[in-house]
Amino acid sequence: MCECVFMCVCAWLFFQVGVAVWGGKKILNKHKPWIETSYHGVITENMDIVQLDPPLVALDKDAPVPYAGEICAFKIHGLEAPFEAVVLNGTSGEGQLRARGLVDCELQKEYTFIIQAHDCGAGPGGTGGKKSHKAVVHIQVNDVNEFSPVFREAQYHVAVTEGKIYDNILQVEATDQDCSPQYSQICNYQITTSNTPFAIDRNGNIRNTEKLSFDKQQQYEVLVTAFDCGQKRSTESVAVHIYVKPVCKPGWQGWDKRVDYEPGTGSKQLFPKMNLETCGGLLSSVRTTVELQTSHIGKGCDRETYSEKSLQKLCGASSGSTDLLPAPSASTNWTASLVTDSERDSDLIFRFDGRQAAKIPDQVVPQNLTDQFTIATWMKHGPNPGLRAEKETLLCNSDKTEMNRHHYSLYVHNCRLVFLLRRDFIQVDTFRPAEFHWKLDQICDKEWHYYVINVEFPVVTLYVDGVTYDPYLVTDDWPIHPSQIDVQLTVGACWQVIILELSPLCVGGEVMKPRFTQYFRGSLSGLTIRPGKIESQKVISCLQACKEGLDINSLESLGKGIKFHFNPAQSILVMEGKDLENMNAALRKVSYINSRQFPTPGIRRLHISTSVECFGEDTCISIPDIDAVVMVLQPSEPRITIAGVDRLTRPAADLRGPAGLNLFQDLHIISTVTKGDTASHHTAHSPSVGFLPGVQEEIIHNLDYCDILVLGEELRPEQESLQLQRSTLLGKHLDATNSTSGMSIYGVDSMSNYEQVIRQVHYHNWHPAQTPDRKFRLTCSELNGRYTSNEFTLEISVLHKSEAGEHVNHMVAPSQYMQVVPHLAMVHIPSAATVVIVICIAALVVVVVLGIYRIHLTHQQEGRSSDTTKERELDWDDSALNITVNPMEVRGRGGLKTKPWGGE
């Protein structure tokens, strides 16, 4: 054991001595290692090897002496330098610089520190080691493009004024967190939204490529992306909101393009929030014109569409007017061949295209109109460039045969209205006015106008839409010499005799053929003539009055200095003022009104024009015109219902009596509208939601005619007629006509007045035995047939007197009292008088039946000895009898005693 320890110690000593002696010599570390004085290195971030220039190599002059000539370490001196130097080869002195962890360029781009090389000293223990001088190391961290550009703002907002080209609307800016200029700088911007009038440059400046319009588009949203110089794109684009501001344009603001009008709501404001923007301009006066355009509605506007007779009665016109263009019927068949315009709202309008005309029967209008008469008509006429030299005749009274003399006529010639009146020689024998010419724009403006010619010879006055016009030219002529030639009154053309030349071989050589000529091209309605009287201006204004127009709410609240003017139809309103605020307030009070209970639905156009004057300036602002519409909504359609007793059974004596038979004594006329109701709003997303049944609501309105029509064979005037006392019509706007086909009651009046009059219609029949049972049909109308009632049919049964017969049961005949059979749809509650009559009739029947029964018993007792055949016959008679007990006898036994027929 001791020997082993001794041997080990000796070996160690031997080794130590060998190391210290190299080649038999003692090792000495004479020289320091040598390195470069400075190094420059580059490291890419997120890598660990530093590329040094020059490479890290340490030299030692003691080489190749072991330890003293070898490099054992490189040491770094610096403040927390994240690097370390390692020896790759101690003999050659090669080393390597490494990062101790990940290097981030964004945290630090460069590092500077000191490095020294250390040799291995004089021996294995490194004793006596030497170190080199200090060398400076500069390290640059190379960047990696790891970050995308990010915009500084989440969104951009900017407003621009329309109509300009901007060099720079807005600049967007993006940043990049990379450390190097290559990757941290933004080199490009790009708009990713397609089809936009904008562009962007490399610096992020946005400009518009075309002029923007506020009316076209009021806002744009543009998406922009950014690229760094390494072409890395931003992960999210930024939204740029560009708002287009209108150029301050003078004009009206705060008005709606559409205003809905509910029928029956009275006056409705059209511009409750409107104001005039002047863009700072100082105005000295403002003039505004509001025009309601209704030429497409009816005959120029919404008017009452009653028949011409009803309108004249309503307006208080003189009686005796004759309608030359009535609705075609059996008695007025001369208009049957004319073309009517059915598109108008129950207006009777005739269109003439230069090929139609009508001859008025001789008995309709008297040939002599006297010195006073009135011709009135609605006319719509336009220019006919190719026919300027031709006359277009509305009304003409000319010779029927042989000659071509025009006694009076109304025609259009070169857009001039001409009235011709040739007096008879027996009336006047001097040169007198004969032709009256008017030159008016209305004649050829293709709009409806109401023309009235009042003749108080030799003065002729023309009214157009209620306004009087004097003729610009009056020509005189001689009167017409008397003749025995009949005259022909025509509408739409003139009746003239045309001379046709025949072959010389023919006897006479010529022939005269009457035909129509000078055809009218346009539309006519309500053409009437009233002989012997002229109309007053009040009546004329009423006949052509519009039921719709412009209005001003609260005239007394108009500001000071506001002037206004309406045209006669109240379709044009002109307002003028000097104070802008007062004008704004005045325009807000302008409203639309339609007084018809059932107006024509549809659009009415509004046109507003404005002119202004400025204080002492050569140029002033211009206010553009504006257009809007009033939408008149569809009115609730009334349902007119006629109800009452629909069957009357009366004895013949009642029909022959002086009062006749009262046909419609229990008549009732009512009108209802359906008010729709819904459980919820019906939308396209909920088609299953439907409308609940409408609620019936009774309303009050006028009627304009009720017709009582005889069904089947017409009345025979020698034995039957319908009669109505004229006194029944007094105090009402009603009149009546009577014929063998029925009776017509017409005029604009209330339903209650119509009820009162119709209840007084009586039917007389002087020979009822020769007349079968009669049926009458009653129908009523509102607005000239726009709304019509149900067809109420009344049946009249006549009871003829019964003749005496062999059988006793023939005595049980129907009582000669009216039998009332109520209509199935009606609940009839009898009056007290009716109840008493029914009870009396029942009592009489019981008395008669009991008397027959007593007679029958007497006959039975006297004929017990008769044969079987006679008994059977009596038994058969007995089976035919019906015994009815008087209900009044049930109340008290013995309280009511009956007597047999005959007074026993």
Side-chain angles (χ1 to χ4, degrees):
M1 181 77 182
C2 294
E3 292 179 355
C4 292
V5 173
F6 177 75
M7 292 180 64
C8 290
V9 171
C10 291
W12 180 79
L13 292 173
F14 179 78
F15 176 75
Q16 290 293 332
V17 174
V19 170
V21 178
W22 178 72
K25 298 180 180 180
K26 184 180 179 179
I27 299 174
L28 298 174
N29 190 3
K30 297 180 179 180
H31 301 93
K32 297 185 295 183
W34 178 88
I35 58 176
E36 298 289 344
T37 57
S38 63
Y39 293 91
H40 294 276
V42 176
I43 183 174
T44 302
E45 62 177 342
N46 301 326
M47 304 294 288
D48 59 350
I49 304 299
V50 179
Q51 303 296 328
L52 285 178
D53 182 24
L56 181 59
V57 176
L59 302 177
D60 196 322
K61 291 184 178 180
D62 291 328
V65 178
Y67 299 106
E70 295 178 354
I71 302 300
C72 280
F74 293 97
K75 291 186 178 182
I76 294 175
H77 304 278
L79 297 175
E80 300 180 357
F83 297 97
E84 63 179 1
V86 297
V87 178
L88 298 179
N89 190 327
T91 303
S92 61
E94 294 181 30
Q96 189 178 60
L97 191 63
R98 298 176 180 175
R100 291 200 300 266
L102 295 180
V103 179
D104 192 346
C105 178
E106 286 72 38
L107 296 178
Q108 190 168 341
K109 298 179 181 180
E110 295 181 350
Y111 294 89
T112 300
F113 51 86
I114 302 299
I115 190 172
Q116 284 182 309
H118 292 255
D119 60 17
C120 296
T127 58
K130 294 184 181 294
K131 54 185 178 182
S132 68
H133 58 274
K134 296 179 179 179
V136 179
V137 180
H138 296 280
I139 303 297
Q140 179 180 348
V141 180
N142 279 352
D143 189 21
V144 173
N145 197 3
E146 57 184 333
F147 292 99
S148 299
V150 177
F151 287 94
R152 292 187 180 275
E153 303 290 341
Q155 288 185 340
Y156 290 88
H157 298 269
V158 67
V160 296
T161 303
E162 66 175 342
K164 295 182 179 180
I165 295 294
Y166 290 86
D167 294 331
N168 183 12
I169 295 176
L170 174 74
Q171 183 179 24
V172 298
E173 185 178 1
T175 60
D176 197 311
Q177 295 182 10
D178 289 311
C179 65
S180 65
Q182 179 181 3
Y183 299 138
S184 64
Q185 292 183 358
I186 307 301
C187 285
N188 194 20
Y189 292 91
Q190 183 179 337
I191 294 176
T192 60
T193 304
S194 59
N195 300 324
T196 59
F198 301 98
I200 191 169
D201 61 15
R202 297 171 63 90
N203 296 322
N205 296 311
I206 297 176
R207 60 183 177 85
N208 58 319
T209 58
E210 63 184 48
K211 293 181 179 180
L212 306 180
S213 171
F214 177 81
D215 295 331
K216 180 180 179 182
Q217 191 166 344
Q218 301 176 10
Q219 178 182 351
Y220 295 86
E221 181 178 330
V222 179
L223 297 179
V224 177
T225 189
F227 295 88
D228 61 21
C229 293
Q231 293 304 307
K232 192 174 186 67
R233 180 174 178 170
S234 58
T235 55
E236 293 183 0
S237 298
V238 69
V240 180
H241 298 276
I242 301 175
Y243 303 96
V244 181
K245 297 188 303 182
V247 175
C248 184
K249 297 178 180 178
W252 291 105
Q253 297 180 353
W255 54 277
D256 295 325
K257 291 186 177 181
R258 168 173 166 162
V259 179
D260 288 342
Y261 181 80
E262 183 74 27
T265 56
S267 180
K268 181 169 184 178
Q269 285 180 271
L270 297 174
F271 318 110
K273 299 180 181 178
M274 191 165 73
N275 66 283
L276 182 61
E277 174 62 59
T278 62
C279 295
L282 299 177
L283 306 181
S284 59
S285 67
V286 180
R287 179 186 174 92
T288 300
T289 302
V290 182
E291 181 181 0
L292 179 68
Q293 299 173 349
T294 60
S295 59
H296 60 291
I297 301 295
K299 294 192 289 286
C301 68
D302 212 1
R303 294 181 170 92
E304 296 293 6
T305 55
Y306 296 117
S307 66
E308 198 64 31
K309 282 188 176 181
S310 297
L311 281 175
Q312 290 177 358
K313 189 77 174 177
L314 184 65
C315 291
S318 304
S319 60
S321 175
T322 301
D323 189 358
L324 300 182
L325 288 176
S329 66
S331 58
T332 58
N333 58 0
W334 64 85
T335 59
S337 62
L338 300 180
V339 178
T340 59
D341 190 348
S342 59
E343 296 180 0
R344 298 297 182 185
D345 178 24
S346 67
D347 272 348
L348 186 59
I349 294 174
F350 294 89
R351 281 192 292 112
F352 296 86
D353 61 358
R355 291 176 292 182
Q356 295 94 13
K359 292 194 294 183
I360 310 299
D362 295 340
Q363 70 277 8
V364 174
V365 178
Q367 293 189 6
N368 183 12
L369 294 181
T370 72
D371 289 341
Q372 289 186 341
F373 61 92
T374 298
I375 298 174
T377 186
W378 286 95
M379 182 178 72
K380 180 181 179 181
H381 180 264
N384 294 300
L387 305 170
R388 291 184 59 85
E390 295 187 15
K391 295 180 180 180
E392 299 179 59
T393 302
L394 287 74
L395 180 67
C396 182
N397 184 269
S398 59
D399 291 334
K400 185 177 292 186
T401 58
E402 300 182 25
M403 304 180 72
N404 288 328
R405 298 178 302 174
H406 293 185
H407 296 260
Y408 63 88
S409 66
L410 180 64
Y411 61 90
V412 176
H413 187 212
N414 290 336
C415 288
R416 290 164 174 80
L417 186 66
V418 182
F419 177 64
L420 169 68
L421 179 60
R422 299 284 302 279
R423 309 298 291 170
D424 291 338
F425 191 85
I426 58 176
Q427 295 173 315
V428 63
D429 58 357
T430 59
F431 212 53
R432 301 301 297 271
E435 278 191 346
F436 303 84
H437 300 251
W438 292 271
K439 183 179 180 181
L440 303 173
D441 295 335
Q442 294 93 319
I443 297 171
C444 285
D445 65 357
K446 298 183 180 180
E447 303 290 347
W448 281 104
H449 299 285
Y450 188 54
Y451 298 84
V452 178
I453 294 179
N454 272 349
V455 178
E456 285 184 291
F457 193 79
V459 178
V460 176
T461 305
L462 172 67
Y463 293 85
V464 180
D465 299 332
V467 180
T468 58
Y469 293 92
D470 295 326
Y472 80 94
L473 175 64
V474 177
T475 58
D476 296 340
D477 204 347
W478 290 102
I480 295 177
H481 290 278
S483 67
Q484 301 300 319
I485 302 174
D486 293 333
V487 293
Q488 177 65 60
L489 182 62
T490 57
V491 174
C494 203
W495 189 255
Q496 279 192 191
V497 176
I498 306 299
I499 300 176
L500 301 177
E501 294 184 0
L502 300 179
S503 171
L505 300 178
C506 297
V507 179
E510 61 182 25
V511 65
M512 293 185 294
K513 181 179 180 181
R515 68 177 184 182
F516 285 117
T517 186
Q518 300 175 6
Y519 285 97
F520 177 70
R521 292 169 177 82
S523 297
L524 297 176
S525 178
L527 176 59
T528 61
I529 189 167
R530 177 178 285 102
K533 292 182 181 179
I534 63 172
E535 285 296 1
S536 66
Q537 188 166 6
K538 180 180 179 181
V539 172
I540 294 172
S541 298
C542 175
L543 290 172
Q544 60 87 38
C546 288
K547 295 300 180 179
E548 64 179 340
L550 300 173
D551 193 16
I552 298 178
N553 287 338
S554 182
L555 285 173
E556 63 276 5
S557 64
L558 285 179
K560 295 182 179 180
I562 299 298
K563 300 177 182 179
F564 66 92
H565 172 72
F566 284 102
N567 69 333
Q570 283 195 219
S571 60
I572 299 177
L573 168 62
V574 179
M575 304 187 78
E576 188 172 359
K578 296 182 178 181
D579 184 81
L580 181 59
E581 289 304 318
N582 286 344
M583 277 295 293
N584 287 336
L587 262 295
R588 296 188 192 111
K589 297 179 184 297
V590 177
S591 59
Y592 168 81
I593 187 171
N594 194 316
S595 60
R596 291 189 69 189
Q597 189 172 6
F598 306 107
T600 303
I603 287 177
R604 276 75 162 161
R605 302 190 181 279
L606 288 168
H607 182 76
I608 298 92
S609 58
T610 304
S611 60
V612 297
E613 294 181 1
C614 297
F615 284 104
E617 297 183 9
D618 295 336
T619 60
C620 195
I621 60 175
S622 176
I623 308 299
D625 296 351
I626 62 176
D627 293 288
V629 296
V630 176
M631 175 60 73
V632 178
L633 304 180
Q634 179 76 36
S636 298
E637 295 193 358
R639 180 181 180 183
I640 306 171
T641 304
I642 303 175
V645 177
D646 64 352
R647 179 172 298 175
L648 295 177
T649 302
R650 296 296 298 269
D654 286 359
L655 276 66
R656 290 193 298 264
L661 177 61
N662 194 331
L663 294 180
F664 305 100
Q665 187 174 5
D666 296 322
L667 178 77
H668 293 282
I669 304 175
I670 63 172
S671 183
T672 57
V673 293
T674 302
K675 298 294 184 180
D677 194 10
T678 56
S680 62
H681 294 288
H682 182 72
T683 63
H685 302 288
S686 58
S688 61
V689 180
F691 286 88
L692 296 178
V695 179
Q696 296 291 326
E697 179 179 309
E698 186 172 349
I699 63 170
I700 303 297
H701 59 77
N702 292 329
L703 299 176
D704 60 349
Y705 69 80
C706 287
D707 289 338
I708 303 172
L709 179 66
V710 179
L711 298 182
E713 183 182 356
E714 290 190 357
L715 299 178
R716 302 172 184 176
E718 68 278 0
Q719 67 182 45
E720 57 181 338
S721 69
L722 292 174
Q723 294 183 7
L724 178 66
Q725 294 293 331
R726 299 299 298 181
S727 60
T728 309
L729 303 175
L730 295 178
K732 303 178 180 65
H733 297 288
L734 297 178
D735 207 340
T737 58
N738 199 357
S739 67
T740 57
S741 60
M743 178 179 291
S744 178
I745 302 168
Y746 61 90
V748 181
D749 214 327
S750 64
M751 290 186 290
S752 61
N753 281 349
Y754 267 93
E755 279 185 359
Q756 295 174 21
V757 172
I758 296 174
R759 288 172 183 173
Q760 300 303 316
V761 175
H762 290 71
Y763 170 60
H764 291 258
N765 193 323
W766 297 276
H767 304 285
Q770 303 175 12
T771 306
D773 293 348
R774 278 294 183 186
K775 289 184 179 181
F776 299 93
R777 177 180 295 162
L778 172 63
T779 57
C780 293
S781 156
E782 164 67 337
L783 296 176
N784 201 18
R786 178 177 173 184
Y787 305 117
T788 56
S789 69
N790 60 310
E791 294 182 348
F792 178 77
T793 302
L794 173 66
E795 297 184 17
I796 306 297
S797 298
V798 181
L799 290 176
H800 301 283
K801 184 176 181 180
S802 302
E803 297 179 357
E806 293 182 357
H807 302 294
V808 179
N809 63 340
H810 290 171
M811 297 176 65
V812 187
S815 175
Q816 293 185 3
Y817 289 92
M818 179 176 66
Q819 296 184 3
V820 180
V821 181
H823 193 275
L824 294 178
M826 300 298 296
V827 178
H828 183 66
I829 301 176
S831 62
T834 306
V835 174
V836 173
I837 292 173
V838 172
I839 293 175
C840 293
I841 293 174
L844 179 61
V845 171
V846 171
V847 171
V848 173
V849 172
L850 291 178
I852 294 172
Y853 182 68
R854 291 284 299 273
I855 294 173
H856 175 64
L857 291 178
T858 303
H859 286 185
Q860 229 178 11
Q861 292 174 358
E862 293 177 353
R864 292 181 183 274
S865 59
S866 61
D867 56 4
T868 307
T869 307
K870 184 66 177 178
E871 290 180 358
R872 290 177 180 174
E873 183 178 358
L874 289 175
D875 290 340
W876 179 85
D877 288 341
D878 181 66
S879 65
L881 294 175
N882 294 324
I883 308 301
T884 304
V885 178
N886 188 349
M888 296 182 65
E889 292 183 323
V890 180
R891 293 184 299 170
R893 307 187 179 198
L896 178 66
K897 294 184 179 180
T898 61
K899 294 183 178 181
W901 186 267
E904 293 183 1

